[in-house]
Amino acid sequence: MTTPIWTPSEARLRDSEIMRFNAFVNARAGTALASGAALRDWSVANRADFWSAIWDFFGVIGDKGEAPWITGEGMLGERFFPGASLNFAENLLGLARPADDDIPALVFRGEDKARMSWSWGELVAQVSKMQQALAKAGVGEGDRVAGLLPNRPESVAAMLAVVSLGAVWSSASPDFGTRAVLDRFAQIAPKLLITTDGYWYNGKRIGIAEKLAEVRAGLTSVEQVVVIDYLGEAEAVAATLPGGISWDGFTAGEVVAPLRFTRVPFDHPLYILFSSGTTGAPKCIVHRSGGVLLQHLKEHALHGDLKPGDRLFYFTTLGWMMWNWLMSGLARGATLMLFDGSPFAPGPGVLWDFAAEERFSQFGTSAKYIDTLRKSGFEPKAEHDLSALRTVFSTGSPLLVHGFEFIYDAVKRDVHLASISGGTDIVSCFVGGDPTAPVWAGEIQGGGFGMPVDVWSAPDTPAPPGEKGELVCTAAFPSMPLGFWGDEDGSRYRSAYFELFEGIWCQGDYAERTEHGGYVIHGRSDATLNPGGVRIGTAEIYAEVEKFPELRESVVIGVDSDGDQRVVLFVVMAAGQNLTGALIARIKAAIRAGSSPRHVPAEILEVADIPRTKSGKISELAVKDVVHGRKVKNVGALDNPQALDGFPALSGG
């Protein structure tokens, strides 16, 4: 393509938050920044000054401490704002809160089954009552509280109340299977579990009372279970659980009072998010309060042009980091648009009905959703008034050229399409949008401000534009995780990100830089599965497959297909057993029940043997290379390389 698919107008440039921020920096630093590209160069060369400017420009509430703003050396040694103290919830509720408390803060839709709206005043009141109830329940600084919740207003209030006390929030979606929930929450020993009586999906009413009984039995650290009413059964469900109480019952004795905020150090734990569990139990990734706040302020305002009064939507569950990202929109004074359920129930227009009715200014979703919508033939602009829409975000998997074209042809011609990419690892983005720059179809516009992102083909060897390599970041940034929960010596953390290129963050994405200064992500360079743009782990599938005596062993991989991935499970049958249609159906049902619908393989195929390393580990990467027709990189590490001969080459589509 020789011309960009979109170029910002002069008015968009003039009114952008980037230009406002540039003016602020120019006035205090004597620079002459006039674009996003210029800001990127300056911010990478002057990281301490840049992050200090982020704090001051947005007026972060708290004690900044004294310079220097970055101390220590190296990615693992540097610390940001070492003398600072703040509270994350205080900033989300106070940094840009509208003067009029009646302005909506949260607008919720549960498919076509439920709708709700809370004003800023109502949100603060709910947080106040929940904060007091949590404090009386003994929740305090450093305690973990787990949420097994749908994307409802109460979930937002619960998170804000928890972190207002200096406690740590962790969440998952209620469609996760029992084992998947326990694999996550049992590791962090939560003091309290906040959940729901059920949810709606694809028009179906789904109760989770049985699952909650199993989860409650497995979480021995939990003292109370608070149940939110979604299906009208909260009181009844809570009564069946040890320590169970409904949300209304938990907060019933509280009177709305001024909020109290426990200010904590910049690096105090805020969130625990979970890796997908590729090679074992999911890693518990601990994120820091100040780092998440600054990074999200930067991304929302500068990369996404989010302004006070905007209406921000992202289609996400509480099991994906984009929910945490969405929450930080409150710090910009935005109204958060919450949706729970299927994006195609009762039909393909459900999200766009919501967008038009509530006048979304930002619409965020996955590349998979965009592609599914494209293939369905549905054109949002034909039936919906999207005049308020300024930005479309896409992440989860690479957005291909035809996805870009669909947005501009079928959604809106004058819209900033910001393809973004980061991860649960940093609860934010490495590369993303720039509302002051042209959009080129198939490309992410540039690296994150203040983050020296690059593509390396070898240690200290940046790949030239057009050549693929590993996506890296070569200097520390505030939203680097504190580490993994329970990883006392930091060895698992270092192994996860810093081993391939010593001391350099390697994200595990196969990428290339473009001649326009942008990036193209070609998918994961490790064994993590990514169907529909949702990262999941093979270990969660193996745990269910291993329960079948008919199967001797198995290996599961993601097969690239038309810009997405499909999960393929290869199985070795036990002696005298056959892979029948009935058995395949049982395996899929078990995986769906034990993990989630996203884990269910698209295909289950029989092979004679599974390749293993000399230490006995299944080599998923070797299988993945074979089925994609690539040369196997680690044949020498295999104990039985002949096993690879039995795997078919599968078309990527």
Side-chain angles (χ1 to χ4, degrees):
M1 183 171 286
T2 57
T3 58
I5 198 168
W6 177 81
T7 301
S9 66
E10 286 299 321
R12 288 284 292 257
L13 284 170
R14 182 186 64 247
D15 296 338
S16 69
E17 294 299 285
I18 281 180
M19 297 307 291
R20 287 186 59 239
F21 183 75
N22 280 351
F24 177 82
V25 172
N26 291 339
R28 70 192 258 170
T31 50
L33 307 179
S35 67
L39 172 60
R40 183 174 294 106
D41 291 344
W42 177 82
S43 68
V44 168
N46 302 273
R47 288 181 301 125
D49 291 339
F50 169 74
W51 291 109
S52 173
I54 290 289
W55 182 298
D56 295 341
F57 178 75
F58 292 108
V60 169
I61 300 169
D63 181 358
K64 188 180 180 184
E66 297 182 356
W69 311 121
I70 304 177
T71 61
E73 295 183 1
M75 290 201 78
L76 289 165
E78 285 190 346
R79 289 291 176 268
F80 289 78
F81 302 96
S85 64
L86 75 165
N87 183 276
F88 187 78
E90 183 178 13
N91 279 275
L92 265 59
L93 291 173
L95 204 54
R97 179 176 167 183
D100 183 355
D101 259 1
D102 291 332
I103 291 174
L106 308 172
V107 179
F108 166 69
R109 297 287 183 274
E111 295 185 354
D112 62 342
K113 309 297 182 186
R115 58 174 55 205
M116 185 189 304
S117 179
W118 282 3
S119 69
W120 278 86
E122 288 170 322
L123 173 59
V124 170
Q126 288 285 348
V127 174
S128 171
K129 294 175 69 176
M130 192 61 175
Q131 180 190 70
Q132 295 172 66
L134 287 169
K136 288 179 181 176
V139 174
E141 190 170 334
D143 287 332
R144 279 78 60 208
V145 174
L148 185 64
L149 292 165
N151 190 15
R152 287 176 55 96
E154 294 95 336
S155 305
V156 182
M159 180 275 289
L160 290 169
V162 167
V163 303
S164 74
L165 297 169
V168 185
W169 174 261
S170 189
S171 63
S173 174
D175 67 344
F176 277 33
T178 300
R179 185 193 48 75
V181 174
L182 293 176
D183 279 353
R184 288 159 171 77
F185 291 159
Q187 294 188 71
I188 63 172
K191 191 167 196 173
L192 205 76
L193 174 65
I194 304 175
T195 187
T196 178
D197 56 355
Y199 58 97
W200 291 91
Y201 193 85
N202 202 26
K204 296 179 181 177
R205 185 178 185 276
I206 302 173
I208 62 169
E210 247 182 71
K211 182 190 301 180
L212 289 178
E214 296 170 346
V215 168
R216 176 65 183 90
L219 293 178
T220 57
S221 62
V222 166
E223 297 174 3
Q224 281 189 283
V225 182
V226 180
V227 184
I228 292 170
D229 199 345
Y230 198 167
L231 304 182
E233 299 176 353
E235 296 284 353
V237 170
T240 68
L241 302 170
I245 187 171
S246 70
W247 172 281
D248 290 342
F250 190 63
T251 60
E254 310 305 336
V255 177
V256 176
L259 291 169
R260 297 173 288 108
F261 297 102
T262 301
R263 292 190 179 176
V264 294
F266 190 88
D267 283 351
H268 183 78
L270 169 71
Y271 293 140
I272 298 177
L273 276 64
F274 303 96
S275 73
S276 49
T278 302
T279 57
K283 300 180 186 71
C284 307
I285 306 171
V286 185
H287 292 287
R288 56 191 92 203
S289 298
V292 172
L293 178 65
L294 293 192
Q295 183 83 337
H296 287 183
L297 284 169
K298 178 202 74 171
E299 290 185 353
H300 285 151
L302 304 186
H303 291 284
D305 206 36
L306 185 66
K307 306 174 189 293
D310 276 352
R311 306 196 128 210
L312 174 65
F313 170 78
Y314 219 104
F315 176 64
T316 181
T317 72
L318 271 75
W320 191 20
M321 59 145 282
M322 295 311 300
W323 184 82
N324 305 80
W325 190 89
L326 173 64
M327 293 302 100
S328 295
L330 291 170
R332 291 292 295 142
T335 300
L336 304 189
M337 319 307 292
L338 312 177
F339 183 88
D340 187 70
S342 168
F344 292 97
V350 63
L351 296 186
W352 300 99
D353 294 343
F354 192 14
E357 180 183 344
E358 294 294 342
R359 297 188 60 77
F360 291 6
S361 48
Q362 288 83 14
F363 185 109
T365 187
S366 67
K368 176 62 176 176
Y369 170 80
I370 292 171
D371 197 49
T372 302
L373 201 66
R374 177 183 67 85
K375 291 176 179 175
S376 76
F378 183 80
E379 294 194 357
K381 73 176 185 182
E383 302 177 22
H384 298 87
D385 175 9
L386 301 175
S387 56
L389 187 64
R390 299 199 318 271
T391 306
V392 173
F393 296 108
S394 172
T395 193
S397 59
L399 184 64
L400 303 182
V401 170
H402 55 235
F404 280 75
E405 293 170 344
F406 174 77
I407 292 296
Y408 286 101
D409 291 342
V411 176
K412 190 174 183 180
R413 179 61 59 183
D414 184 21
V415 69
H416 175 213
L417 175 53
S419 180
I420 62 180
S421 182
T424 300
D425 324 80
I426 64 168
V427 73
S428 57
C429 302
F430 285 105
V431 290
D434 179 349
T436 71
V439 172
W440 296 84
E443 298 184 18
I444 298 173
Q445 289 175 285
F449 299 126
M451 302 169 70
V453 178
D454 205 347
V455 175
W456 281 13
S457 56
D460 297 313
T461 308
E467 182 178 311
K468 299 179 182 66
E470 295 283 345
L471 187 72
V472 301
C473 191
T474 60
F477 49 95
S479 67
M480 284 174 58
L482 279 166
F484 299 155
W485 189 267
D487 180 25
E488 301 301 336
D489 63 357
S491 57
R492 294 175 65 212
Y493 176 49
R494 291 191 298 274
S495 174
Y497 307 113
F498 298 98
E499 273 193 354
L500 184 62
F501 305 128
E502 187 175 354
I504 298 296
W505 184 290
C506 184
Q507 178 60 10
D509 281 334
Y510 200 47
E512 69 176 282
R513 292 186 295 119
T514 74
E515 61 182 11
H516 308 120
Y519 291 81
V520 176
I521 306 294
H522 294 283
R524 297 293 299 167
S525 55
D526 58 19
T528 302
L529 305 176
N530 202 25
V534 179
R535 291 182 65 190
I536 62 176
T538 57
E540 296 176 303
I541 296 175
Y542 291 140
E544 299 304 324
V545 174
E546 288 170 0
K547 296 175 183 177
F548 285 82
E550 299 93 335
L551 308 179
R552 183 159 63 86
E553 56 185 346
S554 64
V555 61
V556 63
I557 63 165
V559 177
D560 298 336
S561 178
D562 194 23
D564 193 13
Q565 273 193 356
R566 68 183 194 274
V567 177
V568 178
L569 175 66
F570 295 98
V571 297
V572 178
M573 305 305 297
Q577 298 293 325
N578 296 310
L579 185 63
T580 63
L583 178 57
I584 288 173
R586 287 172 51 219
I587 294 169
K588 289 185 175 183
I591 293 170
R592 180 185 297 271
S595 295
S596 82
R598 303 180 187 91
H599 291 73
V600 178
E603 295 179 83
I604 300 179
L605 304 174
E606 184 177 352
V607 291
D609 198 8
I610 302 293
R612 294 181 176 272
T613 65
K614 296 186 186 300
S615 61
K617 294 181 180 178
I618 292 173
S619 182
E620 296 159 323
L621 295 179
V623 173
K624 193 170 183 179
D625 285 339
V626 169
V627 302
H628 286 93
R630 300 192 293 253
K631 183 180 179 181
V632 178
K633 305 180 184 72
N634 63 341
V635 172
L638 298 178
D639 190 51
N640 57 339
Q642 68 279 1
L644 295 173
D645 297 339
F647 287 83
L650 301 177
S651 170

